[in-house]
Amino acid sequence: MTESMKEDHHEFLDIIFFTPSEFEKAGGAWPIRIGRNLAKNNYHIGPRTTPYHYLLFVLEGEGTFIQNGQHYALRARDAFCLFPHVTHEYWTTPENTLQKIFIAFDGSHAAELLSRIGLTPDSPYRSGVLTPETASAMRAFMEDVRKPQDGASDLGRLTRFLSLFDRIARSPAIKGLQPDSATPWLQKGKEYMDIHFAGGITVEGVSAHAGVDRTHFAKQFRRAYGLSPVQYIQQLKMDQAKRLLVQTPLSLTEVAHSVGYPDLFSFSKAFKKQVGLPPNRYRTTESNKE
């Protein structure tokens, strides 16, 4: 394992540093570095902090991890996370030295990525997370980006980076810790409607996406938001139609199709019922206000 590693006083280390592109930084999270190590028996990190999020996996060996005053015993297949500006400390058991593989990353959605695999500042450790497939994917990631001249790109880095989290999130040790447990199913259904209202969605489809019975979803949605799911979808369509009528030169038929109506007649009828004016008169009235 040490053939491509550099030796220092307390470990053998193989690490690759990235300079994120503007494309990467425009997203929610991007990799900063990836690496692996083999600890010597005097291996001891910290106490210290890091400016980035560090996700570390134990390949072999044993050790101890401390963060926020909590102690965690490290074993093979465990995962632990170093959160930015939080004091941490970890070390190896001399008789069974740690081997780790890790990735550091940054971005406004970095913490959200970690929450999807059950890691938060208050719960920075999970046991049994690392699968052979994930370890293999991380090693392949390293080899893919080791020689940029061979064609590794920012898009390739992001693809491998995000696929790691998707792979981990689907592992048996993580199922049940998905953000769905923190995000209410009602909100999940509402967000689905907010995005797909013009796509011919049905309440049955929305409730199935949220993972609950249609009748229960409709009842709880009305209780929470004061209108039925059908009324909410209709409201979303009309709000978008009003924006298109005022802010674009689209024809009435084009507006109708843009918000999910098959023809101008059904759109005009629904618009007048909801808004009180036919769409052409609404456009004229609002334009005259400017």
Side-chain angles (χ1 to χ4, degrees), residues 41-106:
N41 58 16
N42 63 334
Y43 183 75
H44 192 132
I45 301 297
R48 70 179 188 186
T49 64
T50 174
Y52 309 120
H53 295 78
Y54 258 90
L55 178 59
L56 305 98
F57 299 97
V58 179
L59 296 169
E60 295 182 24
E62 299 178 353
T64 302
F65 168 52
I66 303 176
Q67 190 163 269
N68 287 326
Q70 296 294 315
H71 288 64
Y72 306 93
L74 300 175
R75 300 288 187 274
R77 299 184 60 207
D78 291 353
F80 63 106
C81 184
L82 314 179
F83 284 85
H85 315 299
V86 177
T87 301
H88 60 263
E89 185 176 7
Y90 54 96
W91 60 88
T92 190
T93 298
E95 299 78 20
N96 190 9
T97 55
L98 286 170
Q99 295 183 32
K100 306 190 311 297
I101 194 164
F102 56 87
I103 188 164
F105 49 99
D106 200 5

Side-chain angles (χ1 to χ4, degrees), residues 10-11 32 57 70 79 86 90-91 100 109-110 114 126 138 149 155 187 200 210 214 221 231 244 252 277:
H10 69 170
E11 68 179 328
I32 296 291
F57 299 97
Q70 296 294 315
V86 177
Y90 54 96
W91 60 88
K100 306 190 311 297
H109 291 172
L114 287 163
R126 293 288 171 193
M138 291 191 71
Q149 66 271 22
L155 184 57
Q187 181 182 339
R214 181 197 187 283
F221 189 91
Q231 291 171 327
L244 294 175
L252 297 184
L277 293 172

Side-chain angles (χ1 to χ4, degrees), residues 51-251:
Y52 309 120
H53 295 78
Y54 258 90
L55 178 59
L56 305 98
F57 299 97
V58 179
L59 296 169
E60 295 182 24
E62 299 178 353
T64 302
F65 168 52
I66 303 176
Q67 190 163 269
N68 287 326
Q70 296 294 315
H71 288 64
Y72 306 93
L74 300 175
R75 300 288 187 274
R77 299 184 60 207
D78 291 353
F80 63 106
C81 184
L82 314 179
F83 284 85
H85 315 299
V86 177
T87 301
H88 60 263
E89 185 176 7
Y90 54 96
W91 60 88
T92 190
T93 298
E95 299 78 20
N96 190 9
T97 55
L98 286 170
Q99 295 183 32
K100 306 190 311 297
I101 194 164
F102 56 87
I103 188 164
F105 49 99
D106 200 5
S108 59
H109 291 172
E112 169 65 15
L113 270 181
L114 287 163
S115 74
R116 290 190 173 235
I117 59 172
L119 293 168
T120 67
D122 293 329
S123 184
Y125 163 87
R126 293 288 171 193
S127 64
V129 169
L130 183 66
T131 63
E133 293 77 17
T134 299
S136 178
M138 291 191 71
R139 292 188 184 99
F141 188 172
M142 291 185 68
E143 294 311 309
D144 186 51
V145 298
R146 188 178 298 280
K147 299 177 180 179
Q149 66 271 22
D150 290 344
S153 66
D154 54 358
L155 184 57
R157 287 195 300 266
L158 275 179
T159 300
R160 285 195 177 275
F161 172 63
L162 293 174
S163 69
L164 282 175
F165 281 88
D166 179 58
R167 185 184 299 275
I168 298 163
R170 290 186 282 110
S171 70
I174 295 300
K175 286 182 178 179
L177 297 173
Q178 299 285 357
D180 292 349
S181 62
T183 303
W185 54 263
L186 200 59
Q187 181 182 339
K188 185 178 180 181
K190 179 178 179 296
E191 290 172 350
Y192 185 81
M193 290 187 280
D194 289 341
I195 296 171
H196 301 293
F197 65 88
I201 59 174
T202 63
V203 179
E204 287 82 359
V206 175
S207 58
H209 176 77
V212 296
D213 174 74
R214 181 197 187 283
T215 301
H216 182 60
F217 178 83
K219 181 178 179 180
Q220 295 304 316
F221 189 91
R222 180 183 286 276
R223 178 178 295 176
Y225 297 106
L227 67 172
S228 71
V230 170
Q231 291 171 327
Y232 184 67
I233 293 172
Q234 183 80 344
Q235 179 179 290
L236 291 171
K237 289 183 175 183
M238 292 303 125
D239 288 346
Q240 177 68 353
K242 288 189 284 186
R243 284 191 290 270
L244 294 175
L245 288 168
V246 174
Q247 298 174 12
T248 77
L250 292 175
S251 70

